[in-house]
Amino acid sequence: MRDSFSLTYRNISERKARAALTILGITVGIGAVIALVSIGYGMEESITGQLVEVADVIMVTPMRMELGTVGTFGSFTDRDLEAVDRIAGVKDAVAMRGEMEEVEYRGETFMVQIVGIEPRDITAVFGETVQLEEDGGAGTEASGRALRDNDHKTCEIGYSIAKDYFDDEIDVNDRITINGSKFRVVGVLAKQGGFRSNVDSAIYVTTRDSVSILDNEDISIIFVRVRDIGEAEEIAAEIEERIDDNHKLDDFTSAMTMGSAIEQMESIFGILQAVLIAIASISLIVAAMGIMNTILMSVMERTHEIGVMKAIGAKNRNILSLFLMEAGVISVIGGVCGCIAGVIGAHAITFGIQAAFDVEIAAIVKPEVLIGGIAVAMFVGILSGLYPARKASKMSPVEAVRYE
Amino acid sequence: MIDKFLMAYRSIRERRTRSILTVLGIAVGIAAIVALMSVGYGMEEAITGELTGMADMISVFPGKITGTTYVELGSFTDRDVKDVKRIAGIKDISTMTFDAVEVEYRNEKVPIFIIGGDTEELAGFYVEPVGLKEGRWLRENDYKGCVIGDRVANDYFDEVIHVNDKLILNGEKFIVVGIFEKASTLYASDVDPYIFLTLRAAKEALQTDEINYIMVRVYDIDEAEEIAEEIKEAINDNHGLDDFATAMTMGSMIEMMGDVFNIIRGVLVGIAAIALVVASIGIMNTMLMSVMERTHEIGVMKAIGAKSSDILSLFLLESSMVSLVGGVVGCVLGVTVAIVISLGAGTALGIEFGAVVKPEVLFGGMAVAMLVGVLSGFYPARKASRMSPVEAVRYE
């Protein structure tokens, strides 16, 4: 065993350039796969990560949750909210009222999403994340303060509203006109971006104010927090039933648990990743051909040597394992290098994406991916070394020795 | 020149397995790229192809598109429609209105979206590509008739709805005159969950004069962009708002989709191109070995008067021949794979599309193969050409 190792080592180091190129081939292939998988996990994490924090939340909307259907069937009433609140296992039920309204600032008017919510419920809806960033956790510090329960005619505005919508930037204590009545800006929310960019382009007011501006008491979304995440699905079903009963309609409400939302996204990411990896694996096939080529040449060059080995008593098995070992060592080295290259590549690419699109993604390198990468490399190496190694082992010693 | 070709050919022939493996490597790389491109173009064609027939159309929405999501900001009024009609260069204008209503069928109430519009325009949009399973399409004077999507007929109510059944929309009775086929993936979300009415009937059932969508056809496609701009301004003025209406020409819509497809294709081809990098490493390896094995021969050639440039071109020729053969094989393989994939994906996703093989993709593939071959053959060839004849001849 040790002998075959040192023989392998000698062979590889004898033809350095050839071995290096072969290793480089498999490095590139494995590197590509590792990088893609790591970036994929990073993207998935950056999207579902925000949701995991609020995994005990059920989002209740008056619409059918389907791909491609736009618009809502109507709205909820206070009676629905009470009914939801009464369901066992519900910790909190929070109503959000929202509608597009005209907002004017220094002579410019835009339609903006106005969201009415009880200030004390904001944490329940957004989890801790928005607040944390407000405290300066992520560098983009928010200014001003949060809404308070007894605020009147005041609002918190999203980042894009403050910076992008109007020609002039809006600051804390500026006044904006929402649907004809004046509001004072008390706080500017930190930039959310990415998956929660809708927060950036909304204006938040208290429920009382929203009822008076919007001139109705319609509730557009109910957020429900449950005590036990395990019961979330059942509670969601019960919520749907109760509200549908209230409105005497079938399929009016859809209550989606964050758990199922995460699951849906994970399955989409799974498909996406599988496609990308499949395409990247094409380079592994090409690398496998490179290995086969190298080992074939190594066999050819050493025909004489093989003959001698056989003549002095080496069995077919010994020859086979010798060449398989060579292929395996080359590919494992390639696999290890590929892992390193892949991790570096993944970090470089996510950094590039961050710089270019302003979304925060950090490549996630899972140890099982690295180990898998090396295992795949080894597998590929041994498979593609099999044909040349068999060829070598089946040589007739007499003819092999005669080979010049 | 012919001599060089023959020599390169001979040396490729001599090491058959090695050459075949090298050719196969580059063929796989090129095939991946050609296949992805062809499938990508096929998908794009399937989606934008139907739209190019409507290039003279401008869609006007009361909202804006930010990123991938559309936000509705309100609705249009009759005054908007009148103002739009007055703009020069407009051939035809039709309006659509849609909203959810309670629909009752055999004592079951379900909220469903209804779409009301010009029957001919709707027919062009949906009936032609999707087709009716039962009954007939709406006529302009069908005030009490409706056509329903497949899911409305089969999923939403406990009992299946058939032609001539009665639905109650917001208290008014409508007769189902037609039922759509189950739409393909491309149209599923546009047709299956809806009930279609004439514009007048929809306005009555929804009890509204609000208009959610205006479709404009222009006389001259070249003027479409300007007219779209004018429409936007006129409506924004009416509402005293900035950024209220979005007017999009079919041309810019097709362009937008083209951009998205280009990005997707770019990413996929970029990943597939990694295989080419690996293949080029393989070529370099093969060439290096070929140079090494023929060191003695090179020495002899130099000794009898071959110039360095002759040696260089000899090996470059060899590597580019290998890669060109790889490119040709790759194109053939790629086209075959593309056709297989588009058949498979077509049946799996319910989208009908054929791979579109563009000659420029094939030529590009071969050119890339050739380039890769020459580039990766360059280092070994240079190494060969720089050998000192004395030492090379001495090489055993």
Side-chain angles (χ1 to χ4, degrees):
Chain A
M1 190 67 189
R2 272 191 61 143
D3 284 348
S4 28
F5 247 121
S6 56
L7 262 173
T8 305
Y9 175 73
R10 206 198 62 205
N11 289 332
I12 292 175
S13 55
E14 217 166 66
R15 301 272 178 245
K16 270 208 189 97
R18 183 205 293 167
L21 282 174
T22 315
I23 288 172
L24 193 62
I26 194 137
T27 299
V28 172
I30 293 287
V33 174
I34 299 265
L36 278 176
V37 174
S38 302
I39 293 170
Y41 277 128
M43 283 192 178
E44 187 178 333
E45 180 67 32
S46 78
I47 289 177
T48 57
Q50 296 176 331
L51 293 180
V52 171
E53 296 162 30
V54 287
D56 56 343
V57 168
I58 301 174
M59 202 169 88
V60 191
T61 46
M63 62 168 88
R64 219 168 266 133
M65 274 288 181
E66 268 166 28
L67 222 61
T69 10
V70 228
T72 55
F73 290 136
S75 53
F76 300 128
T77 61
D78 282 330
R79 203 177 135 214
D80 297 329
L81 183 64
E82 279 161 32
V84 170
D85 226 354
R86 270 201 300 272
I87 295 173
V90 170
K91 195 162 87 186
D92 274 316
V94 175
M96 241 165 82
R97 294 148 213 268
E99 214 163 300
M100 307 298 296
E101 289 296 338
E102 291 179 16
V103 173
E104 197 209 313
Y105 178 67
R106 299 201 183 158
E108 279 177 284
T109 311
F110 285 99
M111 296 296 280
V112 175
Q113 175 83 27
I114 306 293
V115 178
I117 185 167
E118 294 291 349
R120 60 173 179 277
D121 291 336
I122 287 183
T123 330
V125 175
F126 295 117
E128 298 294 327
T129 38
V130 175
Q131 306 297 84
L132 274 178
E133 275 172 335
E134 239 180 308
D135 295 336
T140 48
E141 232 171 298
S143 44
R145 61 167 176 86
L147 280 177
R148 291 187 197 125
D149 276 346
N150 53 1
D151 273 344
H152 187 55
K153 297 279 181 191
T154 54
C155 61
E156 257 183 296
I157 60 177
Y159 185 85
S160 308
I161 303 276
K163 308 286 179 200
D164 302 335
Y165 271 54
F166 300 92
D167 285 344
D168 292 319
E169 281 191 15
I170 304 178
D171 281 319
V172 173
N173 285 332
D174 279 344
R175 266 159 225 283
I176 56 178
T177 311
I178 303 174
N179 213 10
S181 44
K182 287 216 186 274
F183 276 75
R184 193 165 62 87
V185 176
V186 295
V188 177
L189 289 168
K191 185 171 180 151
Q192 302 291 310
F195 188 56
R196 275 198 306 221
S197 53
N198 57 331
V199 174
D200 289 340
S201 51
I203 295 181
Y204 295 87
V205 298
T206 61
T207 303
R208 207 173 27 164
D209 281 340
S210 77
V211 168
S212 75
I213 323 172
L214 307 175
D215 205 21
N216 61 48
E217 300 203 356
D218 294 347
I219 294 169
S220 40
I221 302 182
I222 298 177
F223 285 91
V224 176
R225 266 220 147 135
V226 296
R227 280 180 217 287
D228 181 3
I229 298 182
E231 286 175 2
E233 292 296 338
E234 293 150 42
I235 294 177
E238 204 174 335
I239 291 172
E240 282 183 5
E241 219 171 276
R242 291 276 174 95
I243 299 182
D244 281 353
D245 272 0
N246 273 353
H247 292 260
K248 302 220 165 26
L249 286 168
D250 288 338
D251 296 338
F252 170 68
T253 329
S254 84
M256 185 154 82
T257 63
M258 286 301 159
S260 66
I262 293 172
E263 251 168 54
Q264 271 180 24
M265 269 181 230
E266 272 171 357
S267 68
I268 292 174
F269 266 97
I271 295 171
L272 209 70
Q273 254 189 348
V275 170
L276 292 185
I277 291 172
I279 295 173
S281 324
I282 294 171
S283 54
L284 272 185
I285 298 175
V286 179
M289 289 170 187
I291 295 178
M292 199 188 272
N293 224 347
T294 306
I295 306 294
L296 265 181
M297 262 173 280
S298 165
V299 168
M300 198 192 67
E301 282 170 3
R302 282 151 64 200
T303 309
H304 182 75
E305 201 177 317
I306 294 168
V308 173
M309 281 197 270
K310 282 204 162 180
I312 60 174
K315 286 192 214 103
N316 282 1
R317 198 153 44 79
N318 298 130
I319 308 287
L320 186 78
S321 68
L322 187 67
F323 284 97
L324 277 187
M325 181 101 75
E326 190 173 330
V329 168
I330 285 180
S331 55
V332 167
I333 295 175
V336 173
C337 293
C339 285
I340 297 169
V343 171
I344 295 173
H347 283 297
I349 291 172
T350 48
F351 187 77
I353 292 176
Q354 267 186 38
F357 302 109
D358 197 27
V359 276
E360 236 169 88
I361 301 171
I364 292 178
V365 181
K366 298 200 177 182
E368 59 260 41
V369 172
L370 295 185
I371 294 170
I374 296 174
V376 168
M378 187 142 157
F379 181 69
V380 166
I382 290 177
L383 257 186
S384 51
L386 199 62
Y387 165 67
R390 257 178 76 89
K391 197 172 160 187
S393 72
K394 292 238 170 124
M395 276 178 184
S396 124
V398 183
E399 273 177 35
V401 171
R402 259 206 336 236
Y403 191 88
E404 48 95 47
Chain B
M1 195 62 194
I2 290 180
D3 283 348
K4 281 182 192 159
F5 257 114
L6 285 176
M7 280 189 77
Y9 177 69
R10 202 199 63 202
S11 102
I12 292 171
R13 273 293 294 272
E14 225 164 59
R15 306 275 174 245
R16 214 191 232 146
T17 336
R18 186 200 297 170
S19 302
I20 287 175
L21 279 172
T22 318
V23 165
L24 217 54
I26 193 134
V28 169
I30 294 290
I33 290 178
V34 168
L36 282 174
M37 291 283 254
S38 303
V39 170
Y41 278 122
M43 279 193 180
E44 183 176 351
E45 195 100 313
I47 292 174
T48 59
E50 309 228 9
L51 299 180
T52 39
M54 304 184 256
D56 59 341
M57 211 181 82
I58 301 175
S59 304
V60 191
F61 319 93
K64 61 179 174 185
I65 295 169
T66 45
T68 52
T69 49
Y70 168 71
V71 184
E72 193 164 71
L73 297 172
S75 57
F76 299 128
T77 60
D78 283 336
R79 198 176 136 213
D80 295 330
V81 177
K82 261 186 224 152
D83 287 350
V84 171
K85 266 186 189 152
R86 271 204 292 271
I87 295 171
I90 290 179
K91 186 162 75 181
D92 201 9
I93 172 169
S94 82
T95 58
M96 258 195 223
T97 185
F98 54 86
D99 207 346
V101 295
E102 290 175 16
V103 178
E104 195 184 324
Y105 176 66
R106 302 202 180 158
N107 293 326
E108 222 186 318
K109 272 190 188 173
V110 175
I112 296 176
F113 273 94
I114 65 174
I115 296 180
D118 185 277
T119 49
E120 270 177 45
E121 292 285 4
L122 284 178
F125 267 134
Y126 300 126
V127 182
E128 271 172 34
V130 178
L132 293 171
K133 189 168 63 182
E134 283 180 57
R136 59 168 177 86
W137 178 238
L138 291 170
R139 294 191 194 113
E140 204 49 57
N141 56 0
D142 273 333
Y143 295 130
K144 289 292 169 202
C146 64
V147 173
I148 61 178
D150 176 75
R151 299 195 46 198
V152 176
N154 296 316
D155 293 350
Y156 287 172
F157 297 94
D158 288 343
E159 288 174 70
V160 175
I161 305 175
H162 293 289
V163 169
N164 287 333
D165 281 344
K166 287 187 184 63
L167 298 179
I168 301 174
L169 276 62
N170 235 1
E172 288 190 56
K173 272 192 188 166
F174 283 83
I175 296 173
V176 177
V177 298
I179 297 173
F180 272 106
E181 289 276 359
K182 189 165 178 48
S184 65
T185 316
L186 216 54
Y187 282 93
S189 58
D190 290 339
V191 175
D192 287 353
Y194 295 111
I195 297 178
F196 295 84
L197 301 179
T198 62
L199 186 60
R200 210 174 113 184
K203 280 185 171 177
E204 236 164 78
L206 297 171
Q207 284 152 2
T208 173
D209 273 331
E210 289 176 357
I211 292 156
N212 305 89
Y213 176 66
I214 301 177
M215 200 167 63
V216 176
R217 283 189 189 270
V218 297
Y219 283 109
D220 184 358
I221 296 175
D222 295 332
E223 286 176 6
E225 289 297 335
E226 292 150 45
I227 293 175
E229 205 51 45
E230 235 174 296
I231 292 172
K232 217 156 73 178
E233 251 168 61
I235 296 179
N236 282 347
D237 275 357
N238 273 353
H239 292 259
L241 287 166
D242 298 325
D243 274 352
F244 171 68
T246 303
M248 212 169 10
T249 61
M250 247 330 146
S252 62
M253 222 185 261
I254 293 171
E255 235 169 74
M256 241 170 62
M257 280 190 213
D259 287 346
V260 172
F261 270 101
N262 275 337
I263 293 173
I264 296 177
R265 256 202 311 269
V267 170
L268 294 186
V269 169
I271 295 171
I274 295 170
L276 267 190
V277 173
V278 178
S280 77
I281 295 172
I283 294 181
M284 199 188 266
N285 218 350
T286 313
M287 290 310 298
L288 269 179
M289 263 172 281
S290 168
V291 168
M292 198 193 67
E293 281 169 4
R294 282 151 68 197
T295 309
H296 182 76
E297 199 178 320
I298 294 168
V300 173
M301 281 196 271
K302 280 203 163 181
I304 61 172
K307 281 185 238 122
S308 289
S309 63
D310 292 327
I311 309 286
L312 185 80
S313 61
L314 183 68
F315 282 97
L316 278 186
L317 201 60
E318 189 177 327
S319 74
S320 53
M321 270 167 79
V322 166
S323 56
L324 190 62
V325 173
V328 174
V329 174
C331 284
V332 174
L333 207 66
V335 170
T336 317
V337 170
I339 290 170
V340 171
I341 289 180
S342 55
L343 275 180
T347 44
L349 299 174
I351 308 172
E352 235 172 82
F353 74 95
V356 174
V357 180
K358 297 201 174 186
E360 58 259 43
V361 171
L362 296 185
F363 281 118
M366 281 184 232
V368 167
M370 186 103 175
L371 184 79
V372 165
V374 171
L375 271 184
S376 53
F378 195 71
Y379 166 68
R382 245 176 87 90
K383 198 172 161 186
S385 73
R386 291 240 173 132
M387 277 177 184
S388 123
V390 183
E391 276 178 33
V393 171
R394 256 201 344 231
Y395 189 88
E396 51 90 54

